[in-house]
């Protein structure tokens, strides 16, 4: 007979944080414009919110004015460190990140790579990198996927810093080990400011992300450029 082991339930706390942006539109701007400005302003505000959330989930510091802890923060030490001056990121580097995930990296279909623009162009020079014309039609339009490495999707993001020593270049993570909660979706409010003869638009949402387990590792690997 085996040794009994109690099943321990874990409580996970997911905090939702507010992201907000605002714009002012003077009455004269709207009156003198030949096109409707409100749809343009609303679209720009929603786009700013989306970029802020993307950046937070990828690189958030998890403290102070940047309260959401991003994926990169869950990997304390970079797994791949190519030179910022002369290093070229290859598919082999990406596989090394997957290897660092341990049990989380065993199934390539359960791994997602998110890369910077610099890493993306490096991968295009690697003949073993499978671009979307090789692995699936229209996927770029549908999901943002730009390629595949060993059946793991590769996404490109503009929310990385420029290539330099200490800059984050790529992340490999297991989505199953993270949970995202949206307390409230995007809301756009408008108010007339009569005394200043203008209209104010405020767009906001509440969301957050946290890690589920650590017993099999963090479920994240990252590539950081070295000097």
């Amino acid at each position: 007979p085996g040794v009994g082991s109690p099943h321990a339930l874990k409580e996970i706390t997911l905090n939702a944080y507010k992201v907000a942006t605002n714009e002012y539109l003077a009455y004269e701007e709207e009156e003198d414009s030949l096109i409707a400005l409100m749809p343009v302003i609303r679209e720009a505000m929603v786009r700013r919110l989306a970029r802020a959330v993307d950046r937070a989930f990828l690189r958030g510091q998890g403290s102070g004015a940047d309260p959401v802890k991003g994926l990169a923060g869950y990997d304390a030490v970079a797994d791949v460190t190519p030179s910022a001056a002369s290093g070229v990121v290859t598919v082999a580097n990406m596989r090394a990140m997957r290897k660092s995930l341990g049990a989380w990296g065993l199934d390539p279909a359960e791994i997602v790579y998110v890369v910077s623009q610099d890493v993306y162009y490096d991968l295009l020079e690697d003949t073993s990198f499978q671009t979307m014309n090789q692995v699936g039609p229209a996927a770029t339009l549908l999901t943002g996927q730009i390629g595949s490495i060993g059946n793991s999707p590769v996404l490109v993001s503009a929310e990385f810093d420029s290539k330099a020593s200490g800059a984050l270049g790529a992340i490999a993570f297991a989505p199953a080990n993270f949970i995202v909660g949206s307390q409230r979706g995007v809301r756009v409010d408008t108010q007339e400011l009569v005394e200043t003869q203008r209209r104010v638009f405020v767009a906001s949402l509440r969301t957050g992300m946290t890690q589920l387990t650590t017993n099999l590792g963090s479920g994240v690997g990252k590539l950081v450029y070295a000097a």
Side-chain angles (χ1 to χ4, degrees), residues 10 12 74 177-179 209-214 217-220:
K10 179 181 178 181
I12 297 174
Y74 288 99
N177 197 34
F178 296 88
I179 183 171
M209 179 186 71
T210 192
Q211 186 183 58
L212 291 178
T213 66
T214 57
S218 64
V220 180

Side-chain angles (χ1 to χ4, degrees), residues 119-183:
V119 172
Y120 169 54
Y121 287 115
D122 282 349
L123 290 175
L124 289 180
E125 299 299 322
D126 191 326
T127 56
S128 59
F129 178 61
Q130 297 174 313
T131 54
M132 289 316 298
N133 64 311
Q134 297 170 307
V135 296
T140 300
L141 295 176
L142 297 176
T143 68
Q145 184 178 349
I146 50 88
S148 178
I149 296 176
N151 201 34
S152 299
V154 180
L155 313 180
V156 63
S157 171
E159 305 309 318
F160 290 85
D161 287 336
S162 299
K163 184 177 179 180
S165 177
L168 181 68
I171 294 174
F173 73 104
N177 197 34
F178 296 88
I179 183 171
V180 173
S182 294
Q183 191 75 10

Side-chain angles (χ1 to χ4, degrees), residues 17-22 39 41-54 57 181-190 201-208:
Y17 300 96
K18 180 182 285 187
V19 184
T21 183
N22 66 282
I41 292 173
R42 287 174 182 265
E43 181 181 350
M45 294 173 70
V46 171
R47 186 166 59 248
R48 284 205 299 268
L49 287 177
R51 292 194 61 180
V53 171
D54 284 350
F57 285 177
S182 294
Q183 191 75 10
R184 171 164 54 79
V186 177
R187 169 177 172 171
V188 180
D189 297 299
T190 306
F201 300 88
V202 179
S204 64
L205 58 83
R206 294 181 64 203
T207 188

Side-chain angles (χ1 to χ4, degrees), residues 191-211:
Q191 184 177 8
E192 302 290 336
L193 303 177
V194 179
E195 69 278 11
T196 56
Q197 294 288 284
R198 58 182 178 169
R199 182 180 291 120
V200 60
F201 300 88
V202 179
S204 64
L205 58 83
R206 294 181 64 203
T207 188
M209 179 186 71
T210 192
Q211 186 183 58

